[in-house]
Amino acid sequence: MASQHKSPVAIVMGSDSDLEAMALCIDTLKEFGIKPVVRILSAHRTPRQAADFARNAGKDGIKVIIAGAGMAAHLAGSLAARTILPVIGVPLAAKDSPAGLDALLSTVQMPPGVPVATVSIGRAGAKNAAILAIQILAIGDPVLARKLVKFKNCQEKSVTAKDSALKRS
Ligand code: RP5
């Protein structure tokens, strides 16, 4: 069944416990006018549903998949194995594994031929995953490209203002 999705970006996370960190990814995409498809799918707990999602994502209009998971984080890799869409992996801390280094290595250490564009651990990575997805989409979308330029300019102004305030203090 094609086109049940209305968004070019899907955010998939392994558990509802990942939502706190991944909320920043959702919010950042919304700031750029993109309302993502958001799913909880697990490489280990719902392997068939996760596989079906990855196989159908392209047909359903998704252009970039963002996958966040903690612990032995195989979600991004298992999705990437089943699609030609770019997959961005967000390694997450989990309550039983608060540093998230296990998730970082599980996400980033993909074998040659099946890349996962892995961002940093946790909320910083969740935000960067959204921005990276937007940058990918902006290659063919001048409106999004202009929004990205504005975003970078605002970011620069904000840091410059903090620098000036520090110099004055
Ligand atoms: C991973 O295990 C999830 O992505 C989550 O980060 C972690 C713990 O899951 P819960 O036990 O909190 O559901 O699969």
Side-chain angles (χ1 to χ4, degrees):
M1 188 170 57
S3 285
Q4 59 177 316
H5 298 304
K6 298 186 178 89
S7 175
V9 181
I11 298 175
V12 184
M13 62 197 90
S15 166
D16 62 342
S17 64
D18 299 325
L19 191 53
E20 192 184 339
M22 294 306 286
L24 192 54
C25 187
I26 299 169
D27 292 346
T28 304
L29 285 162
K30 285 184 180 167
E31 280 166 25
F32 280 82
I34 297 170
K35 187 170 182 295
V37 171
V38 182
R39 301 286 307 272
I40 296 170
L41 296 168
S42 166
H44 305 118
R45 292 167 173 158
T46 63
R48 279 177 303 222
Q49 288 178 48
D52 287 347
F53 174 83
R55 283 195 203 99
N56 291 317
K59 279 182 263 172
D60 290 339
I62 301 294
K63 294 196 166 65
V64 184
I65 297 174
I66 297 170
M71 303 189 78
H74 297 136
L75 181 59
S78 69
L79 298 176
R82 295 177 172 89
T83 181
I84 59 164
L85 297 175
V87 176
I88 302 170
V90 188
L92 297 174
K95 96 182 152 309
D96 293 322
S97 183
L101 285 172
D102 44 6
L104 174 62
L105 291 175
S106 304
T107 305
V108 77
Q109 286 287 57
M110 290 297 291
V114 190
V116 167
T118 305
V119 292
S120 46
I121 298 167
R123 285 170 55 81
K127 178 163 184 160
N128 276 347
I131 295 167
L132 182 54
I134 294 159
Q135 288 175 325
I136 292 168
L137 296 173
I139 292 168
D141 184 334
V143 175
L144 266 188
R146 278 196 292 278
K147 287 181 183 176
L148 276 169
V149 171
K150 199 172 157 199
F151 166 78
K152 293 262 187 189
N153 288 342
C154 286
Q155 192 165 244
E156 186 174 356
K157 274 186 194 144
S158 157
V159 175
T160 304
K162 287 174 192 167
D163 182 47
S164 304
L166 192 63
K167 279 192 269 184
R168 281 196 304 273
S169 66

